[in-house]
C-alpha cells in the first residue's frame, strides 16, 4: 500500500534567516552529514550540487550565495527509478542480480545505487526505499582555517615497550598563504603533554602528530567485554595558529592493539584465523548486526543502548556490522567502546556484483575515506571487511555467469575492493587489519587472485554456514571451521510483538499475514520441519492457541539449534581433528530485527529477548561445560575464557523424566579447566551411564551438569538430551506457578513446579524488560528468576501479564 511513496520524487524545502552576519566570514559552507540518496540541492534558486551516495558527507560552499533570508531546497529522485536508470545505462554487460527473489517483495537493481542495500528488501526485511535527509544539516562559517576531521589511534612500539598515539587532523585553510602555529596535546592522567609547531598549506590538507606516552605512567589498555576494563583517557588537543580562532578539541584516547593472525597450525593444512587483542588471543563470541529500523531517524540512542547492552548482557564480546545495512551512527560505536563490544565492520556491499565505472568508483572512494576518517578512533572496531559474500558469489557462481565472462567480473571485483577500497583503508588507517570479503580464505584468497576456489574452506579464513534440512541437534553436520562468522536458524517473534501489527484473522501460521511477513523462501515450512525432528507439532483445535504454541516451539527449536552449533564451535577451539579445528570465533546470524517478522534474530523488534538470547547468555558464558555424544560415548569439555587455570568440581546429575528426585549424581573433583581453552574433562559410555543410574533408558532420562569452584565461581547449568523430547517416556504435564515480589528496582518471580518441566518460558507480554533466565529445564521444585524492567511497572501488572509455558503445555 505504501509502495507509491518510493516511486515518487519528493522535495524538501524551507526558508531560514542567516544566524550571523554573513559579511564577517571568509567562508560559509552548507554541510549535509547524510542525504538519502539522489538529490539536487539549491539555495536561493542556485544549484549547489548533486548527491548520489547515502554514506557520504556533502559540503557545499555557499559564501557567495547566502543572504539575510534564504530558501533552501532538496529535490529528491526516486531511488527505485534512479537504480533502474543506472542499470539501463550500463550497456556493456549486466551486473547481477537484477531483482530480489519474489518472496522478498522487493525492488530491483539496488547494486546500482549507493544506498542501504536492504532498503529494497531482504530475506528478513521489508522494502521501504526511503528518501530524505537522514542525518544532521548545518551551516559552518569560518575565517582562516577550520578543522574537518580529527582522529586518534594508538600503537604499541614493541622495541621500546612504549605506547604512542597518532593524531590526525584534516583542515580547510581559507588563507592564500600557509598558516603556522602550535598544537598542544595534553593527557593529564598519563602525565603526557607535547607541543608541536605546524604549518598548514592553503586548501584541504592533513597534519599527523605522533605523541609518545610518558613511560613512567602505567597505561591501562582497552579490553573486550569479559577480558578486562574499557579504560579511556581524557585528552585535550589545542590548536593556536597565527591567525584565526584557537580550536580546543576534547576527545578520549584508548590504548589497544589488534592483530588478525593467519599462520600455519601443526597437524592441520591451511592457516589459522583469529584475533589477538593487546597480545592475547581472544575467542570471538557474538552475533551479526543489521539496521535497527527501516527508518533510520527512529533509531535513537536509547534504541541502540538497549540492543547493545542486551548483547553485552548475553556475554557477547563482538558484533559484525553487516554489509547490507548502514555504517552505524557515532553513538553506536561510542556505546561499543564503553561496553567492550568489538566490531567487525563491513563496507556496505552485499550479496551482489557491483559496477566499476568512473563515477561509481569516485563516489565509493569518497564514501570509504569519509567513513574511515569518521570511525577509525574507535577501539571497538577491530577489522575492516570489504563486502558480504561477494567473493563467494563469484566463486560459487550464484548468478550463473558464463565461464567466458568470468574474468570481467573478477576484474571488477579486484578493481572495487582491492584497488580502491583496500588502497584507501590502508592509506587512511594502519591500526587495524583489512580483509576483502566474508566468507574468505584470507591470505589464501589473496594468493589465488582474491577469488579463492572455495571461500567456505574450513582450513582458511571464516565461513558462513546454513542448513535447514539436517537435524540441527547433530553436531557432526557443522563445519569445524577456523571462524564461524554467520550461521543460524529462524524463529517467530513473540505473540505480543506480532499483535501490535496484526489483527485476529492474521493469527495463524498459514494466514496471508504469516506468509507476507516471511521473506525467506519456504521459511515457515523449514521451521516446522526443524521443530518436527524433536518435538510434537501443535494440534490444538483453538486456532489462536495453535498459533501461540507454534511460535513457542519455533523459539525453542531456534534456541536449541544455535546452542548446539555454538557449543560445537566453542569446544573446537583447542583441538585439531582430521586436520580441522582451532575455531576462534562464533558470530551467529543475527542479533536484531528491522521489523516484526519471522527471522534469524535473537532480539525482537523493540528489543524483547527471544529464548535464543537467553540461551546465548549461557552458551557464551565465560565458563561452560559442553557435552556431546560420539559413537555412544558422552564427552564433556570444560570451556573457559578466563585468563587463569581453575581447579573445579564437575557435577553430573541424571533425572528420570517422571521425578524431580535425581536418580543418580556424580561429583568429579579437581577438574582442571585451562585458561582460554576447551579441554575434555569427562567421558563415559552411554551404556555405562544407564547402567550406573539404574532405572534409566535413553528415553526415560536426561542429564544435567555444571562446574563449581572456589569463591562462588560457577558455570550455568547445561543439559544433554539422551533422546528427542517427543520420544520422552515418563514426562508428565507440570503445573507451574509463580509469585511476584518487588525488591528495589527489580522483581523476583518465585517459581514452583509439580514435575520436571522442559523449556520453561516466562512471558510478560509487552511489558518492557528481561528475565535473568528463561527457557530453562526445570528439574527442581523451586526456582527464583529475576525480572529487570526497562520501564516502570508493578508486581501486580507483571503477575497479571505473566504466561508460563513449558513443553507439555503445547497440545
Amino acid at each position: 500500500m505504501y509502495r507509491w511513496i518510493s516511486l515518487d520524487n519528493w522535495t524538501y524545502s524551507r526558508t531560514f534567516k542567516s544566524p550571523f552576519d554573513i559579511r564577517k566570514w571568509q567562508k560559509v559552507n552548507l554541510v549535509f552529514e547524510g542525504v538519502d540518496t539522489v538529490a539536487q540541492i539549491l539555495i536561493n534558486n542556485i544549484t549547489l550540487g548533486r548527491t548520489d551516495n547515502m554514506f557520504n558527507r556533502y559540503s557545499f560552499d555557499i559564501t557567495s550565495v547566502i543572504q539575510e533570508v534564504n530558501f533552501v531546497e532538496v529535490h529528491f529522485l526516486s531511488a527505485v527509478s534512479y537504480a533502474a536508470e543506472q542499470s539501463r545505462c550500463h550497456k556493456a554487460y549486466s551486473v547481477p542480480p537484477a531483482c530480489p527473489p519474489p518472496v522478498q517483495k522487493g525492488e530491483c537493481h539496488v547494486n546500482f545505487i549507493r544506498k542501504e542495500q536492504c532498503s529494497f528488501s531482504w530475506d528478513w526485511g521489508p522494502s521501504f526505499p526511503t528518501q530524505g535527509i537522514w542525518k544532521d544539516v548545518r551551516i559552518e562559517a569560518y575565517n582562516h582555517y577550520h578543522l574537518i576531521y580529527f582522529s586518534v589511534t594508538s600503537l604499541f612500539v614493541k622495541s621500546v615497550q612504549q605506547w604512542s598515539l597518532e593524531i590526525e587532523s584534516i583542515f580547510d585553510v581559507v588563507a592564500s598563504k600557509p598558516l603556522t602555529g602550535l598544537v598542544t596535546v595534553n593527557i593529564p592522567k598519563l602525565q603526557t603533554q607535547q607541543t608541536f609547531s605546524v604549518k598548514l598549506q592553503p586548501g584541504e590538507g592533513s597534519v599527523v602528530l605522533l605523541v609518545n606516552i610518558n613511560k613512567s605512567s602505567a597505561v591501562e589498555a582497552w579490553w573486550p567485554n569479559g577480558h578486562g576494563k574499557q579504560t579511556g583517557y581524557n585528552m585535550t588537543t589545542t590548536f593556536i595558529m597565527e591567525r584565526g580562532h584557537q580550536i580546543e578539541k576534547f576527545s578520549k584516547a584508548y590504548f589497544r592493539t589488534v592483530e588478525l593472525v593467519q599462520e600455519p597450525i601443526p597437524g592441520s593444512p591451511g592457516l589459522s584465523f583469529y584475533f589477538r587483542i593487546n597480545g592475547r588471543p581472544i575467542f570471538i563470541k557474538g552475533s551479526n548486526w543489521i539496521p535497527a529500523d527501516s527508518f533510520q531517524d527512529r533509531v535513537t540512542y536509547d534504541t541502540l543502548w538497549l540492543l547493545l547492552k542486551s548483547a553485552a548482557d548475553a556475554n557477547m564480546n563482538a558484533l559484525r556490522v553487516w554489509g547490507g545495512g548502514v555504517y552505524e551512527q557515532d553513538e553506536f560505536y561510542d556505546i561499543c567502546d564503553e561496553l567492550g563490544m568489538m566490531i567487525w565492520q563491513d563496507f556496505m556491499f552485499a550479496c551482489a556484483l557491483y559496477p566499476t565505472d568512473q563515477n561509481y568508483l569516485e563516489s565509493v572512494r569518497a564514501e570509504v575515506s569519509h567513513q574511515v576518517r569518521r570511525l577509525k578512533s574507535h577501539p571497538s572496531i577491530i577489522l575492516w571487511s570489504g563486502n558480504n559474500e561477494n567473493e563467494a558469489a563469484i566463486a560459487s557462481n550464484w548468478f550463473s555467469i558464463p565461464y567466458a565472462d568470468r574474468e570481467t567480473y573478477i576484474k571488477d571485483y579486484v578493481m572495487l575492493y582491492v584497488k580502491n577500497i583496500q588502497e584507501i583503508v590502508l592509506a587512511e588507517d594502519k591500526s587495524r587489519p583489512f580483509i576483502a570479503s566474508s566468507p574468505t580464505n584470507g591470505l589464501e584468497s589473496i594468493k589465488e587472485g582474491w577469488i579463492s576456489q572455495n571461500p567456505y574452506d574450513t582450513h582458511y579464513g571464516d565461513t558462513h554456514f546454513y542448513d535447514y534440512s539436517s537435524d540441527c541437534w547433530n553436531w557432526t553436520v557443522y563445519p569445524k571451521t577456523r571462524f564461524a562468522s554467520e550461521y543460524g536458524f529462524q524463529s517467530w517473534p513473540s505473540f505480543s510483538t506480532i499483535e501490535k501489527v496484526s489483527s485476529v484473522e492474521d493469527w495463524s501460521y498459514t494466514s496471508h499475514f504469516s506468509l507476507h511477513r516471511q521473506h525467506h523462501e519456504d521459511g515457515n515450512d523449514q521451521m516446522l520441519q526443524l521443530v518436527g525432528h524433536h518435538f510434537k507439532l501443535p494440534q490444538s483445535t483453538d486456532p489462536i492457541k495453535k498459533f501461540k504454541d507454534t511460535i513457542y516451539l519455533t523459539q525453542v527449536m531456534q534456541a536449541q539449534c544455535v546452542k548446539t552449533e555454538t557449543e560445537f564451535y566453542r569446544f573446537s577451539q583447542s583441538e585439531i581433528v582430521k586436520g580441522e579445528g582451532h575455531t576462534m570465533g562464533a558470530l551467529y546470524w543475527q542479533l536484531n530485527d528491522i521489523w516484526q517478522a519471522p527471522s534469524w534474530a535473537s532480539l525482537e523488534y523493540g528489543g524483547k529477548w527471544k529464548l535464543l538470547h537467553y540461551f546465548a547468555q549461557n552458551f557464551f558464558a565465560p565458563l561452560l561445560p559442553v557435552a556431546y555424544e560420539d559413537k555412544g560415548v558422552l564427552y564433556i569439555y570444560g570451556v573457559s575464557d578466563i585468563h587463569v587455570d581453575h581447579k573445579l568440581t564437575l557435577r553430573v546429575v541424571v533425572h528420570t523424566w517422571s521425578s524431580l528426585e535425581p536418580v543418580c549424581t556424580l561429583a568429579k573433583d579437581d577438574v582442571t579447566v585451562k585458561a582460554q581453552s576447551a579441554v575434555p574433562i569427562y567421558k563415559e559410555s552411554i551404556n555405562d551411564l544407564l547402567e550406573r543410574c539404574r532405572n534409566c533408558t535413553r528415553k526415560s532420562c536426561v542429564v544435567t551438569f555444571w562446574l563449581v569452584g572456589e569463591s562462588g565461581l560457577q558455570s550455568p547449568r547445561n543439559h544433554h538430551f539422551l533422546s528427542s523430547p517427543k520420544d520422552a517416556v515418563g514426562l508428565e504435564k507440570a503445573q507451574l506457578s509463580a509469585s511476584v515480589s518487588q525488591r528495589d528496582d527489580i522483581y523476583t518471580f518465585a517459581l514452583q513446579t509439580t514435575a520436571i518441566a522442559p523449556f520453561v518460558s516466562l512471558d510478560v507480554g509487552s511489558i518492557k524488560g528481561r528475565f535473568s533466565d528463561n527457557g530453562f529445564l526445570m528439574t527442581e521444585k523451586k526456582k527464583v528468576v529475576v525480572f529487570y524492567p526497562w520501564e516502570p511497572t508493578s508486581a501486580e501488572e507483571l503477575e497479571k501479564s505473566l504466561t508460563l509455558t513449558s513443553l507439555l503445555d503445547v497440545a
Side-chain angles (χ1 to χ4, degrees):
M1 279 169 66
Y2 292 113
R3 188 170 177 234
W4 65 273
I5 296 172
S6 58
L7 301 178
D8 233 331
N9 302 327
W10 295 84
T11 295
Y12 290 65
S13 65
R14 69 165 294 175
T15 303
F16 70 93
K17 280 197 174 81
S18 290
F20 46 78
D21 182 348
I22 49 184
R23 291 163 305 201
K24 284 190 178 158
W25 301 96
Q26 292 170 308
K27 188 149 184 198
V28 184
N29 292 330
L30 175 61
V31 182
F32 288 84
E33 286 290 338
V35 179
D36 172 17
T37 291
V38 184
Q40 177 187 8
I41 294 170
L42 300 91
I43 190 166
N44 304 328
N45 293 323
I46 295 160
T47 299
L48 299 175
R50 293 174 188 277
T51 69
D52 64 3
N53 190 325
M54 175 177 180
F55 309 122
N56 210 340
R57 164 154 127 194
Y58 290 93
S59 182
F60 301 103
D61 183 345
I62 57 168
T63 319
S64 58
V65 294
I66 190 167
Q67 298 165 6
E68 294 297 311
V69 177
N70 303 275
F71 183 56
V72 60
E73 295 167 278
V74 184
H75 291 298
F76 282 94
L77 208 58
S78 157
V80 177
S81 323
Y82 173 85
E85 180 58 26
Q86 291 301 108
S87 162
R88 263 198 305 280
C89 294
H90 196 279
K91 294 211 163 58
Y93 51 94
S94 68
V95 185
C99 298
V103 68
Q104 286 178 208
K105 309 158 190 71
E107 303 292 355
C108 301
H109 304 297
V110 71
N111 49 343
F112 275 93
I113 181 169
R114 290 312 296 143
K115 175 175 171 59
E116 176 184 24
Q117 298 290 279
C118 67
S119 67
F120 277 39
S121 83
W122 215 262
D123 59 5
W124 36 251
S127 174
F128 288 137
T130 45
Q131 262 177 73
I133 300 166
W134 77 292
K135 291 199 167 192
D136 283 351
V137 190
R138 64 174 184 275
I139 286 178
E140 302 174 330
Y142 48 94
N143 293 331
H144 309 297
Y145 76 118
H146 176 64
L147 181 62
I148 312 173
Y149 291 99
F150 178 85
S151 64
V152 186
T153 49
S154 63
L155 53 147
F156 185 70
V157 187
K158 279 198 180 133
S159 54
V160 288
Q161 292 288 301
Q162 185 178 26
W163 285 100
S164 56
L165 292 172
E166 186 177 285
I167 298 169
E168 185 178 15
S169 309
I170 296 175
F171 289 99
D172 177 29
V173 176
V174 192
S176 50
K177 294 201 284 291
L179 270 183
T180 56
L182 297 176
V183 184
T184 301
V185 178
N186 188 12
I187 310 168
K189 268 232 163 120
L190 295 175
Q191 288 91 49
T192 297
Q193 181 168 338
Q194 260 172 276
T195 299
F196 304 82
S197 23
V198 293
K199 191 179 203 174
L200 307 181
Q201 297 300 330
E204 193 174 306
S206 83
V207 173
V208 178
L209 309 172
L210 203 62
V211 174
N212 293 319
I213 302 301
N214 187 335
K215 279 184 89 164
S216 60
S217 294
V219 173
E220 279 189 16
W222 180 95
W223 285 98
N225 183 30
H227 290 276
K229 290 198 212 148
Q230 288 75 44
T231 308
Y233 294 90
N234 289 333
M235 169 173 133
T236 311
T237 309
T238 314
F239 301 86
I240 304 175
M241 307 308 287
E242 55 183 331
R243 292 188 297 282
H245 282 291
Q246 163 177 334
I247 295 178
E248 208 167 23
K249 189 79 192 161
F250 299 101
S251 59
K252 273 239 193 286
Y254 293 96
F255 297 88
R256 73 112 188 78
T257 60
V258 54
E259 302 153 275
L260 174 55
V261 184
Q262 301 182 67
E263 50 191 33
I265 298 174
S268 176
L271 298 169
S272 65
F273 190 92
Y274 69 90
F275 290 91
R276 248 198 320 243
I277 306 290
N278 303 326
R280 189 180 276 280
I282 301 281
F283 187 99
I284 301 285
K285 307 183 291 191
S287 188
N288 285 263
W289 172 274
I290 65 161
D293 205 292
S294 293
F295 306 98
Q296 277 293 321
D297 48 318
R298 285 192 197 164
V299 183
T300 61
Y301 180 89
D302 293 349
T303 314
L304 294 171
W305 172 259
L306 198 65
L307 294 167
L308 292 168
K309 182 76 170 91
S310 291
D313 287 344
N315 291 307
M316 296 184 189
N317 60 24
L319 292 170
R320 170 170 171 250
V321 175
W322 166 80
V326 298
Y327 304 95
E328 279 299 330
Q329 46 189 290
D330 297 342
E331 277 103 343
F332 174 92
Y333 301 97
D334 290 338
I335 295 169
C336 291
D337 294 345
E338 187 186 329
L339 293 173
M341 193 62 64
M342 293 178 282
I343 296 295
W344 167 318
Q345 179 66 53
D346 279 3
F347 285 93
M348 295 299 130
F349 301 87
C351 301
L353 304 181
Y354 287 87
T356 56
D357 48 275
Q358 249 0 79
N359 289 351
Y360 188 86
L361 285 179
E362 233 160 85
S363 185
V364 168
R365 288 178 70 89
E367 159 191 334
V368 171
S369 132
H370 167 58
Q371 295 296 344
V372 174
R373 288 171 177 184
R374 177 175 77 95
L375 297 174
K376 68 178 177 182
S377 304
H378 291 282
S380 51
I381 300 175
I382 58 165
L383 177 74
W384 300 112
S385 173
N387 67 67
N388 173 73
E389 296 181 351
N390 300 350
E391 178 186 340
I394 297 178
S396 317
N397 202 10
W398 292 1
F399 307 124
S400 313
I401 289 161
Y403 192 76
D405 301 339
R406 202 178 131 90
E407 271 316 303
T408 304
Y409 295 99
I410 292 178
K411 210 170 122 231
D412 277 356
Y413 181 93
V414 174
M415 173 58 75
L416 181 56
Y417 303 110
V418 184
K419 295 190 173 150
N420 282 279
I421 296 176
Q422 179 181 262
E423 187 179 289
I424 292 171
V425 173
L426 297 183
E428 290 280 351
D429 180 17
K430 295 176 184 54
S431 73
R432 47 176 74 76
F434 173 89
I435 57 173
S437 186
S438 173
T440 181
N441 289 344
L443 295 176
E444 178 61 22
S445 287
I446 299 175
K447 211 161 100 186
E448 294 178 38
W450 298 96
I451 306 281
S452 59
Q453 237 181 323
N454 172 24
Y456 297 92
D457 190 330
T458 52
H459 302 93
Y460 297 95
D462 64 326
T463 56
H464 296 186
F465 181 80
Y466 295 97
D467 175 355
Y468 310 116
S469 50
S470 306
D471 171 9
C472 73
W473 290 22
N474 172 11
W475 59 270
T476 64
V477 303
Y478 300 123
K480 210 168 179 78
T481 173
R482 304 290 191 221
F483 197 109
S485 49
E486 271 195 33
Y487 59 95
F489 299 87
Q490 281 198 322
S491 73
W492 271 80
S494 317
F495 184 72
S496 62
T497 297
I498 294 163
E499 198 176 14
K500 297 182 178 72
V501 291
S502 58
S503 45
V504 182
E505 65 273 18
D506 301 325
W507 298 340
S508 108
Y509 200 71
T510 52
S511 68
H512 172 68
F513 169 84
S514 293
L515 283 169
H516 180 75
R517 292 243 161 181
Q518 174 59 272
H519 281 199
H520 166 60
E521 195 65 60
D522 298 328
N524 289 352
D525 292 340
Q526 284 167 356
M527 278 185 270
L528 291 185
Q529 197 185 329
L530 282 160
V531 166
H533 281 299
H534 298 288
F535 304 102
K536 293 174 182 148
L537 292 173
Q539 301 300 330
S540 174
T541 49
D542 170 355
I544 293 177
K545 173 159 173 35
K546 188 177 179 183
F547 185 47
K548 289 179 173 174
D549 286 349
T550 308
I551 290 171
Y552 164 78
L553 283 178
T554 66
Q555 287 210 16
V556 168
M557 171 277 293
Q558 178 196 36
Q560 269 289 126
C561 292
V562 178
K563 169 188 191 285
T564 306
E565 190 166 353
T566 307
E567 288 183 346
F568 170 72
Y569 295 138
R570 285 194 78 187
F571 83 64
S572 300
Q573 67 182 276
S574 308
E575 65 184 17
I576 294 290
V577 178
K578 297 188 190 133
E580 294 181 319
H582 274 226
T583 308
M584 282 298 285
L587 298 171
Y588 66 76
W589 185 269
Q590 69 209 65
L591 179 73
N592 56 318
D593 258 334
I594 199 166
W595 72 333
Q596 307 87 340
S599 82
W600 294 258
S602 63
L603 295 174
E604 301 177 5
Y605 182 79
K608 186 170 180 172
W609 289 27
K610 284 184 180 174
L611 291 185
L612 168 56
H613 207 80
Y614 288 103
F615 273 46
Q617 186 174 230
N618 290 335
F619 63 60
F620 282 146
L623 177 67
L624 183 72
V626 170
Y628 70 96
E629 265 186 57
D630 196 15
K631 302 186 182 72
V633 178
L634 177 70
Y635 294 89
I636 298 179
Y637 276 53
V639 180
S640 172
D641 286 324
I642 303 168
H643 294 188
V644 291
D645 295 358
H646 275 288
K647 273 231 189 312
L648 305 164
T649 299
L650 172 70
R651 298 194 183 281
V652 182
V653 177
V654 179
H655 280 85
T656 56
W657 284 118
S658 56
S659 166
L660 288 162
E661 290 306 315
V663 2
C664 64
T665 62
L666 173 144
K668 184 181 173 187
D669 293 323
D670 290 336
V671 170
T672 301
V673 175
K674 292 181 76 107
Q676 294 192 276
S677 56
V679 291
I681 53 174
Y682 182 79
K683 81 182 252 204
E684 182 176 18
S685 81
I686 299 291
N687 288 341
D688 291 354
L689 180 121
L690 296 175
E691 191 92 350
R692 183 165 66 77
C693 302
R694 301 237 170 246
N695 318 322
C696 267
T697 66
R698 269 189 179 273
K699 289 181 178 175
S700 69
C701 286
V702 64
V703 185
T704 57
F705 51 96
W706 64 99
L707 289 162
V708 192
E710 317 275 83
S711 64
L713 182 65
Q714 192 169 345
S715 78
R717 292 196 175 204
N718 209 338
H719 52 259
H720 177 72
F721 292 107
L722 297 167
S723 70
S724 281
K726 68 176 180 185
D727 302 324
V729 171
L731 190 56
E732 49 205 60
K733 190 167 172 174
Q735 301 302 312
L736 289 162
S737 61
S739 62
V740 187
S741 56
Q742 185 171 359
R743 200 176 71 232
D744 302 326
D745 296 340
I746 59 169
Y747 295 87
T748 54
F749 285 66
L751 293 184
Q752 289 199 336
T753 182
T754 55
I756 286 192
F759 306 109
V760 175
S761 152
L762 295 88
D763 189 323
V764 288
S766 53
I767 298 174
K768 286 188 181 332
R770 71 165 182 96
F771 291 97
S772 54
D773 194 5
N774 214 339
F776 43 83
L777 172 66
M778 199 161 167
T779 53
E780 286 166 345
K781 202 147 76 198
K782 295 184 168 158
K783 182 177 168 85
V784 173
V785 175
V786 177
F787 181 75
Y788 302 100
W790 297 335
E791 59 182 14
T793 182
S794 66
E796 298 76 57
E797 203 179 357
L798 286 165
E799 215 153 287
K800 202 169 73 212
S801 308
L802 177 67
T803 314
L804 285 170
T805 312
S806 73
L807 191 57
L808 287 196
D809 292 318
V810 172

